[in-house]
Amino acid sequence: MCSNKNLEGIEEALSLNRLVMELAKRGEKFFRQTHPNAFFLVVSCPRDGVLRNDSGIRADSDFLRLKTELTTGGTPPPAGSPAGEWAIELVKTDRNVYKSKITIGRAHNNDIVIRINKISKLHSVFNQERDGSYSLVDMGSVNGTTVNDVKLEKNKPVEIKNGDMITFWRYQFQFVEPEPFLQLLRDLSSKTSQ
């Protein structure tokens, strides 16, 4: 479970409740046009959101900040929001030199920014292949990237599939492709209407 302390820095995370309401209000065709990309579901974050340096002092950069081009206007999750209630659309921005890759790292020019010193400046890179599949490459990060608890080798692409668990240091996400994500929202909608 991610407490509000470790999610308070998420600027562009989308509430699943908000996405369910958007789907119900505007319909599937509009939703697919607006959100054609894969998503990360937030699964877990560092314990209590309090990271300390070797001297026991709280780290200034102790937050996760995700910025994407299409998901603007996000607000921080309310206190006590559990993991799994927030999603991040994987969207390419114009902040880095890679034209077709979604970058993840600590530096401000990444597509997904995790502002903590345990994340490398350029930690990992997502690629969407021509056949529509996705791959993930660890760019030589110090604290590693794992897919389903298997540590990635530096600069070696690994195919990512729907449902895979991806960890960057202690931040864990579930990768969800567009159609399964839409089905997840449908399922959530039916649960809330019962």
Side-chain angles (χ1 to χ4, degrees):
M1 181 165 170
C2 295
S3 72
N4 67 320
K5 285 192 180 275
N6 47 349
L7 286 177
E8 67 189 5
I10 296 179
E11 295 177 357
E12 304 302 334
L14 299 170
S15 157
L16 290 181
N17 288 335
R18 177 182 154 217
L19 291 170
V20 166
M21 289 187 297
E22 180 181 330
L23 176 61
K25 182 178 179 181
R26 299 192 174 181
E28 287 190 19
K29 182 178 178 183
F30 178 85
F31 191 90
R32 281 190 178 101
Q33 290 171 345
T34 307
H35 305 286
N37 307 295
F39 280 81
F40 269 157
L41 291 178
V42 178
V43 175
S44 65
C45 303
R47 181 180 56 86
D48 298 330
V50 178
L51 300 174
R52 302 189 182 278
N53 64 20
D54 294 336
S55 303
I57 299 170
R58 187 173 192 270
D60 289 336
S61 60
D62 179 24
F63 65 92
L64 170 67
R65 183 176 68 113
L66 302 167
K67 284 191 173 258
T68 62
E69 186 175 285
L70 298 178
T71 55
T72 59
T75 58
S81 295
E85 292 183 10
W86 297 92
I88 296 95
E89 190 169 4
L90 298 176
V91 179
K92 176 70 190 130
T93 69
D94 60 0
R95 286 194 297 270
N96 62 56
V97 297
Y98 300 109
K99 299 292 181 207
S100 61
K101 300 175 188 224
I102 298 172
T103 61
I104 299 153
R106 186 178 75 236
H108 292 287
N109 63 334
N110 286 291
D111 299 303
I112 298 174
V113 178
I114 305 176
R115 293 281 306 142
I116 190 160
N117 61 5
K118 300 288 186 179
I119 301 296
S120 296
K121 288 180 182 177
L122 177 57
H123 199 93
S124 298
V125 173
F126 269 101
N127 297 303
Q128 186 168 13
E129 307 300 334
R130 289 184 181 167
D131 65 0
S133 66
Y134 294 87
S135 66
L136 181 64
V137 178
D138 183 272
M139 301 301 289
S141 65
V142 174
N143 289 302
T145 302
T146 65
V147 176
N148 300 323
D149 295 324
V150 176
K151 188 172 183 175
L152 301 187
E153 294 179 35
K154 177 183 178 181
N155 295 322
K156 184 177 179 186
V158 172
E159 185 176 0
I160 303 300
K161 294 185 168 104
N162 186 63
D164 282 351
M165 302 302 282
I166 300 170
T167 305
F168 309 104
W169 183 58
R170 292 186 190 165
Y171 288 96
Q172 187 176 41
F173 303 91
Q174 184 176 25
F175 177 77
V176 185
E177 293 176 345
E179 284 305 310
F181 186 76
L182 189 58
Q183 184 60 50
L184 170 71
L185 296 180
R186 283 189 212 108
D187 294 346
L188 289 172
S189 177
S190 67
K191 287 180 185 179
T192 57
S193 64
Q194 292 178 357

